[in-house]
Amino acid sequence: MDTQSLLGEVAGQLLSGAIKVVDLSAPLGPDTPLIKLPPELAVDTPKVEIHAISKYDKNGPWWAWNWLKLGEHSGTHFDAPQHWITGKDYPDGATDTIPAQNFVGPVNVIDCSKEAAADHDFLLTVDHIKAWEAEHGAINPGEWVVMRTDWYKRNGSEAEFLNANETGPHTPGPTAEAIQFLISKDIKGWGSETIGTDAGKAGGMEPPFPAHTLMHKANRYGLASLCNLDQLPPKGAILIAAPLKIEHGTGSPIRALALVPGK
């Protein structure tokens, strides 16, 4: 089957429901959970604001529209390499310069939901990844890898989603060695269901925040606050994660989607 015929077949499968589209994104609004950083370290992203310009009234009698105030890394979002100091020099590392082909690819879903439920500080290791590959098949170059923890179910409450106490945030994520192992496999990028791509205690790792530090150093991408990974198979889905084409953008809220076999 040639490529044109293959695309026609995919289109037909989408229309028939044989291929299903899964929404991997959280709603974006004033109650969207946002990361909280120590004030001595950084300035936080402001809360999302949605302001009406008109709603079928004197400011626009036949239409409704809004203007927004939001950070690039609000809600379900894409991290570009230039988001981190280790990726700042990549000319193709901003949301307006990354090749569009890189936003779409096969996705490997590593299910850590039971481990994360038992231990909020659970860390994915190289051994976990190798065990997953032994069961489901190799992670290949150019593919996405995402960590399913079912953490998205906490998204309705910022306090539960951030899960912080006097010792800091407690959320699951990868070890530095796991991230380096995935980079060695030439993956497209790494994604999580938590507020960021790193574990809550990643600031104390070596290097600090390894998912950011190492992924972006390698000119790879990050996805955070993903939802509904429990609706994806371990292998066989296609992930679409396209950021807005913001000039010199370090990231962007996204409507992440997955194509999966329908029922």
PDB file of all heavy atoms in Angstrom, residues 161-187:
ATOM      1  N   PHE A 161      -2.575  17.952  43.840  1.00  0.00           N
ATOM      2  CA  PHE A 161      -1.751  17.739  42.658  1.00  0.00           C
ATOM      3  C   PHE A 161      -0.277  18.007  42.966  1.00  0.00           C
ATOM      4  O   PHE A 161       0.610  17.228  42.576  1.00  0.00           O
ATOM      5  CB  PHE A 161      -2.233  18.642  41.520  1.00  0.00           C
ATOM      6  CG  PHE A 161      -1.738  18.240  40.157  1.00  0.00           C
ATOM      7  CD1 PHE A 161      -2.083  17.016  39.612  1.00  0.00           C
ATOM      8  CD2 PHE A 161      -0.955  19.097  39.408  1.00  0.00           C
ATOM      9  CE1 PHE A 161      -1.639  16.636  38.350  1.00  0.00           C
ATOM     10  CE2 PHE A 161      -0.512  18.742  38.141  1.00  0.00           C
ATOM     11  CZ  PHE A 161      -0.846  17.507  37.614  1.00  0.00           C
ATOM     12  N   LEU A 162       0.007  19.085  43.695  1.00  0.00           N
ATOM     13  CA  LEU A 162       1.388  19.405  44.050  1.00  0.00           C
ATOM     14  C   LEU A 162       1.888  18.520  45.182  1.00  0.00           C
ATOM     15  O   LEU A 162       3.080  18.214  45.258  1.00  0.00           O
ATOM     16  CB  LEU A 162       1.507  20.876  44.437  1.00  0.00           C
ATOM     17  CG  LEU A 162       1.129  21.896  43.354  1.00  0.00           C
ATOM     18  CD1 LEU A 162       1.335  23.316  43.869  1.00  0.00           C
ATOM     19  CD2 LEU A 162       1.942  21.674  42.094  1.00  0.00           C
ATOM     20  N   ASN A 163       0.980  18.146  46.095  1.00  0.00           N
ATOM     21  CA  ASN A 163       1.289  17.195  47.178  1.00  0.00           C
ATOM     22  C   ASN A 163       2.548  17.598  47.947  1.00  0.00           C
ATOM     23  O   ASN A 163       3.478  16.798  48.114  1.00  0.00           O
ATOM     24  CB  ASN A 163       1.451  15.783  46.606  1.00  0.00           C
ATOM     25  CG  ASN A 163       1.310  14.707  47.676  1.00  0.00           C
ATOM     26  OD1 ASN A 163       0.486  14.823  48.584  1.00  0.00           O
ATOM     27  ND2 ASN A 163       2.112  13.666  47.586  1.00  0.00           N
ATOM     28  N   ALA A 164       2.567  18.837  48.415  1.00  0.00           N
ATOM     29  CA  ALA A 164       3.731  19.365  49.120  1.00  0.00           C
ATOM     30  C   ALA A 164       3.443  19.492  50.613  1.00  0.00           C
ATOM     31  O   ALA A 164       2.315  19.727  51.032  1.00  0.00           O
ATOM     32  CB  ALA A 164       4.117  20.722  48.548  1.00  0.00           C
ATOM     33  N   ASN A 165       4.500  19.324  51.399  1.00  0.00           N
ATOM     34  CA  ASN A 165       4.430  19.586  52.834  1.00  0.00           C
ATOM     35  C   ASN A 165       5.704  20.318  53.247  1.00  0.00           C
ATOM     36  O   ASN A 165       6.411  20.868  52.394  1.00  0.00           O
ATOM     37  CB  ASN A 165       4.225  18.288  53.628  1.00  0.00           C
ATOM     38  CG  ASN A 165       5.333  17.262  53.393  1.00  0.00           C
ATOM     39  OD1 ASN A 165       6.440  17.608  52.975  1.00  0.00           O
ATOM     40  ND2 ASN A 165       5.040  15.997  53.670  1.00  0.00           N
ATOM     41  N   GLU A 166       6.002  20.308  54.541  1.00  0.00           N
ATOM     42  CA  GLU A 166       7.159  21.062  55.018  1.00  0.00           C
ATOM     43  C   GLU A 166       8.484  20.537  54.468  1.00  0.00           C
ATOM     44  O   GLU A 166       9.506  21.245  54.483  1.00  0.00           O
ATOM     45  CB  GLU A 166       7.203  21.054  56.549  1.00  0.00           C
ATOM     46  CG  GLU A 166       7.407  19.704  57.205  1.00  0.00           C
ATOM     47  CD  GLU A 166       6.131  18.864  57.281  1.00  0.00           C
ATOM     48  OE1 GLU A 166       5.075  19.361  56.842  1.00  0.00           O
ATOM     49  OE2 GLU A 166       6.213  17.725  57.780  1.00  0.00           O
ATOM     50  N   THR A 167       8.482  19.316  53.940  1.00  0.00           N
ATOM     51  CA  THR A 167       9.717  18.755  53.375  1.00  0.00           C
ATOM     52  C   THR A 167       9.787  18.930  51.858  1.00  0.00           C
ATOM     53  O   THR A 167      10.739  18.479  51.230  1.00  0.00           O
ATOM     54  CB  THR A 167       9.851  17.261  53.717  1.00  0.00           C
ATOM     55  OG1 THR A 167       8.775  16.535  53.124  1.00  0.00           O
ATOM     56  CG2 THR A 167       9.843  17.052  55.227  1.00  0.00           C
ATOM     57  N   GLY A 168       8.773  19.558  51.275  1.00  0.00           N
ATOM     58  CA  GLY A 168       8.779  19.795  49.839  1.00  0.00           C
ATOM     59  C   GLY A 168       7.709  18.992  49.117  1.00  0.00           C
ATOM     60  O   GLY A 168       6.913  18.278  49.740  1.00  0.00           O
ATOM     61  N   PRO A 169       7.676  19.059  47.781  1.00  0.00           N
ATOM     62  CA  PRO A 169       6.685  18.311  46.998  1.00  0.00           C
ATOM     63  C   PRO A 169       7.017  16.825  46.945  1.00  0.00           C
ATOM     64  O   PRO A 169       8.186  16.439  46.956  1.00  0.00           O
ATOM     65  CB  PRO A 169       6.781  18.945  45.609  1.00  0.00           C
ATOM     66  CG  PRO A 169       8.155  19.513  45.537  1.00  0.00           C
ATOM     67  CD  PRO A 169       8.526  19.915  46.938  1.00  0.00           C
ATOM     68  N   HIS A 170       5.969  16.011  46.887  1.00  0.00           N
ATOM     69  CA  HIS A 170       6.131  14.554  46.842  1.00  0.00           C
ATOM     70  C   HIS A 170       5.318  14.017  45.671  1.00  0.00           C
ATOM     71  O   HIS A 170       4.117  13.765  45.785  1.00  0.00           O
ATOM     72  CB  HIS A 170       5.703  13.929  48.169  1.00  0.00           C
ATOM     73  CG  HIS A 170       6.534  14.391  49.327  1.00  0.00           C
ATOM     74  ND1 HIS A 170       7.732  13.806  49.659  1.00  0.00           N
ATOM     75  CD2 HIS A 170       6.350  15.424  50.194  1.00  0.00           C
ATOM     76  CE1 HIS A 170       8.252  14.436  50.700  1.00  0.00           C
ATOM     77  NE2 HIS A 170       7.445  15.433  51.040  1.00  0.00           N
ATOM     78  N   THR A 171       5.978  13.879  44.543  1.00  0.00           N
ATOM     79  CA  THR A 171       5.351  13.365  43.327  1.00  0.00           C
ATOM     80  C   THR A 171       6.326  12.422  42.631  1.00  0.00           C
ATOM     81  O   THR A 171       7.546  12.595  42.724  1.00  0.00           O
ATOM     82  CB  THR A 171       4.975  14.509  42.369  1.00  0.00           C
ATOM     83  OG1 THR A 171       6.145  15.285  42.072  1.00  0.00           O
ATOM     84  CG2 THR A 171       3.917  15.420  42.977  1.00  0.00           C
ATOM     85  N   PRO A 172       5.814  11.421  41.928  1.00  0.00           N
ATOM     86  CA  PRO A 172       6.691  10.439  41.270  1.00  0.00           C
ATOM     87  C   PRO A 172       7.377  11.003  40.038  1.00  0.00           C
ATOM     88  O   PRO A 172       6.931  11.998  39.455  1.00  0.00           O
ATOM     89  CB  PRO A 172       5.722   9.316  40.902  1.00  0.00           C
ATOM     90  CG  PRO A 172       4.397  10.002  40.758  1.00  0.00           C
ATOM     91  CD  PRO A 172       4.389  11.102  41.770  1.00  0.00           C
ATOM     92  N   GLY A 173       8.460  10.334  39.653  1.00  0.00           N
ATOM     93  CA  GLY A 173       9.188  10.761  38.471  1.00  0.00           C
ATOM     94  C   GLY A 173      10.353   9.835  38.184  1.00  0.00           C
ATOM     95  O   GLY A 173      10.477   8.765  38.790  1.00  0.00           O
ATOM     96  N   PRO A 174      11.245  10.232  37.278  1.00  0.00           N
ATOM     97  CA  PRO A 174      12.360   9.367  36.875  1.00  0.00           C
ATOM     98  C   PRO A 174      13.649   9.665  37.651  1.00  0.00           C
ATOM     99  O   PRO A 174      13.848  10.777  38.157  1.00  0.00           O
ATOM    100  CB  PRO A 174      12.547   9.733  35.409  1.00  0.00           C
ATOM    101  CG  PRO A 174      12.233  11.214  35.394  1.00  0.00           C
ATOM    102  CD  PRO A 174      11.121  11.418  36.411  1.00  0.00           C
ATOM    103  N   THR A 175      14.527   8.685  37.710  1.00  0.00           N
ATOM    104  CA  THR A 175      15.890   8.921  38.177  1.00  0.00           C
ATOM    105  C   THR A 175      16.703   9.537  37.048  1.00  0.00           C
ATOM    106  O   THR A 175      16.323   9.468  35.869  1.00  0.00           O
ATOM    107  CB  THR A 175      16.573   7.619  38.617  1.00  0.00           C
ATOM    108  OG1 THR A 175      16.688   6.752  37.473  1.00  0.00           O
ATOM    109  CG2 THR A 175      15.796   6.927  39.725  1.00  0.00           C
ATOM    110  N   ALA A 176      17.845  10.120  37.405  1.00  0.00           N
ATOM    111  CA  ALA A 176      18.745  10.659  36.385  1.00  0.00           C
ATOM    112  C   ALA A 176      19.239   9.549  35.456  1.00  0.00           C
ATOM    113  O   ALA A 176      19.336   9.734  34.237  1.00  0.00           O
ATOM    114  CB  ALA A 176      19.923  11.363  37.051  1.00  0.00           C
ATOM    115  N   GLU A 177      19.517   8.384  36.028  1.00  0.00           N
ATOM    116  CA  GLU A 177      20.001   7.263  35.229  1.00  0.00           C
ATOM    117  C   GLU A 177      18.948   6.794  34.229  1.00  0.00           C
ATOM    118  O   GLU A 177      19.272   6.421  33.097  1.00  0.00           O
ATOM    119  CB  GLU A 177      20.422   6.111  36.141  1.00  0.00           C
ATOM    120  CG  GLU A 177      21.631   6.402  37.022  1.00  0.00           C
ATOM    121  CD  GLU A 177      21.311   7.269  38.228  1.00  0.00           C
ATOM    122  OE1 GLU A 177      20.106   7.444  38.554  1.00  0.00           O
ATOM    123  OE2 GLU A 177      22.257   7.797  38.848  1.00  0.00           O
ATOM    124  N   ALA A 178      17.678   6.818  34.634  1.00  0.00           N
ATOM    125  CA  ALA A 178      16.602   6.429  33.727  1.00  0.00           C
ATOM    126  C   ALA A 178      16.508   7.385  32.545  1.00  0.00           C
ATOM    127  O   ALA A 178      16.347   6.962  31.386  1.00  0.00           O
ATOM    128  CB  ALA A 178      15.277   6.373  34.473  1.00  0.00           C
ATOM    129  N   ILE A 179      16.613   8.671  32.820  1.00  0.00           N
ATOM    130  CA  ILE A 179      16.558   9.657  31.750  1.00  0.00           C
ATOM    131  C   ILE A 179      17.750   9.496  30.806  1.00  0.00           C
ATOM    132  O   ILE A 179      17.607   9.522  29.580  1.00  0.00           O
ATOM    133  CB  ILE A 179      16.513  11.080  32.340  1.00  0.00           C
ATOM    134  CG1 ILE A 179      15.160  11.335  33.022  1.00  0.00           C
ATOM    135  CG2 ILE A 179      16.762  12.119  31.258  1.00  0.00           C
ATOM    136  CD1 ILE A 179      13.962  11.300  32.095  1.00  0.00           C
ATOM    137  N   GLN A 180      18.933   9.291  31.365  1.00  0.00           N
ATOM    138  CA  GLN A 180      20.103   9.109  30.520  1.00  0.00           C
ATOM    139  C   GLN A 180      19.980   7.858  29.661  1.00  0.00           C
ATOM    140  O   GLN A 180      20.368   7.843  28.488  1.00  0.00           O
ATOM    141  CB  GLN A 180      21.361   9.034  31.382  1.00  0.00           C
ATOM    142  CG  GLN A 180      22.650   9.171  30.593  1.00  0.00           C
ATOM    143  CD  GLN A 180      22.752  10.507  29.867  1.00  0.00           C
ATOM    144  OE1 GLN A 180      22.788  11.562  30.498  1.00  0.00           O
ATOM    145  NE2 GLN A 180      22.767  10.470  28.540  1.00  0.00           N
ATOM    146  N   PHE A 181      19.402   6.804  30.225  1.00  0.00           N
ATOM    147  CA  PHE A 181      19.190   5.565  29.480  1.00  0.00           C
ATOM    148  C   PHE A 181      18.237   5.795  28.308  1.00  0.00           C
ATOM    149  O   PHE A 181      18.475   5.327  27.189  1.00  0.00           O
ATOM    150  CB  PHE A 181      18.639   4.491  30.419  1.00  0.00           C
ATOM    151  CG  PHE A 181      18.326   3.180  29.763  1.00  0.00           C
ATOM    152  CD1 PHE A 181      19.329   2.361  29.281  1.00  0.00           C
ATOM    153  CD2 PHE A 181      17.001   2.757  29.634  1.00  0.00           C
ATOM    154  CE1 PHE A 181      19.045   1.151  28.673  1.00  0.00           C
ATOM    155  CE2 PHE A 181      16.703   1.548  29.038  1.00  0.00           C
ATOM    156  CZ  PHE A 181      17.723   0.739  28.549  1.00  0.00           C
ATOM    157  N   LEU A 182      17.166   6.549  28.540  1.00  0.00           N
ATOM    158  CA  LEU A 182      16.211   6.834  27.471  1.00  0.00           C
ATOM    159  C   LEU A 182      16.836   7.717  26.389  1.00  0.00           C
ATOM    160  O   LEU A 182      16.579   7.528  25.193  1.00  0.00           O
ATOM    161  CB  LEU A 182      14.964   7.499  28.054  1.00  0.00           C
ATOM    162  CG  LEU A 182      14.099   6.598  28.944  1.00  0.00           C
ATOM    163  CD1 LEU A 182      13.004   7.401  29.612  1.00  0.00           C
ATOM    164  CD2 LEU A 182      13.505   5.442  28.142  1.00  0.00           C
ATOM    165  N   ILE A 183      17.651   8.662  26.794  1.00  0.00           N
ATOM    166  CA  ILE A 183      18.342   9.504  25.808  1.00  0.00           C
ATOM    167  C   ILE A 183      19.266   8.648  24.943  1.00  0.00           C
ATOM    168  O   ILE A 183      19.370   8.851  23.724  1.00  0.00           O
ATOM    169  CB  ILE A 183      19.123  10.626  26.515  1.00  0.00           C
ATOM    170  CG1 ILE A 183      18.159  11.633  27.143  1.00  0.00           C
ATOM    171  CG2 ILE A 183      20.063  11.337  25.540  1.00  0.00           C
ATOM    172  CD1 ILE A 183      18.822  12.637  28.062  1.00  0.00           C
ATOM    173  N   SER A 184      19.916   7.673  25.567  1.00  0.00           N
ATOM    174  CA  SER A 184      20.819   6.787  24.812  1.00  0.00           C
ATOM    175  C   SER A 184      20.051   5.966  23.779  1.00  0.00           C
ATOM    176  O   SER A 184      20.640   5.483  22.808  1.00  0.00           O
ATOM    177  CB  SER A 184      21.571   5.857  25.763  1.00  0.00           C
ATOM    178  OG  SER A 184      20.738   4.816  26.261  1.00  0.00           O
ATOM    179  N   LYS A 185      18.741   5.823  23.961  1.00  0.00           N
ATOM    180  CA  LYS A 185      17.907   5.103  23.000  1.00  0.00           C
ATOM    181  C   LYS A 185      17.345   6.045  21.930  1.00  0.00           C
ATOM    182  O   LYS A 185      16.558   5.629  21.089  1.00  0.00           O
ATOM    183  CB  LYS A 185      16.770   4.380  23.738  1.00  0.00           C
ATOM    184  CG  LYS A 185      17.278   3.345  24.745  1.00  0.00           C
ATOM    185  CD  LYS A 185      16.141   2.640  25.460  1.00  0.00           C
ATOM    186  CE  LYS A 185      15.512   1.571  24.581  1.00  0.00           C
ATOM    187  NZ  LYS A 185      16.437   0.456  24.283  1.00  0.00           N
ATOM    188  N   ASP A 186      17.747   7.324  22.011  1.00  0.00           N
ATOM    189  CA  ASP A 186      17.398   8.324  20.995  1.00  0.00           C
ATOM    190  C   ASP A 186      15.890   8.575  20.925  1.00  0.00           C
ATOM    191  O   ASP A 186      15.320   8.699  19.844  1.00  0.00           O
ATOM    192  CB  ASP A 186      17.931   7.909  19.625  1.00  0.00           C
ATOM    193  CG  ASP A 186      18.014   9.082  18.651  1.00  0.00           C
ATOM    194  OD1 ASP A 186      18.072  10.230  19.123  1.00  0.00           O
ATOM    195  OD2 ASP A 186      18.004   8.839  17.429  1.00  0.00           O
ATOM    196  N   ILE A 187      15.256   8.677  22.095  1.00  0.00           N
ATOM    197  CA  ILE A 187      13.816   8.949  22.111  1.00  0.00           C
ATOM    198  C   ILE A 187      13.537  10.393  21.701  1.00  0.00           C
ATOM    199  O   ILE A 187      14.423  11.248  21.719  1.00  0.00           O
ATOM    200  CB  ILE A 187      13.192   8.654  23.492  1.00  0.00           C
ATOM    201  CG1 ILE A 187      13.698   9.646  24.553  1.00  0.00           C
ATOM    202  CG2 ILE A 187      13.437   7.217  23.907  1.00  0.00           C
ATOM    203  CD1 ILE A 187      12.886   9.627  25.839  1.00  0.00           C
TER     204      ILE A 187
END
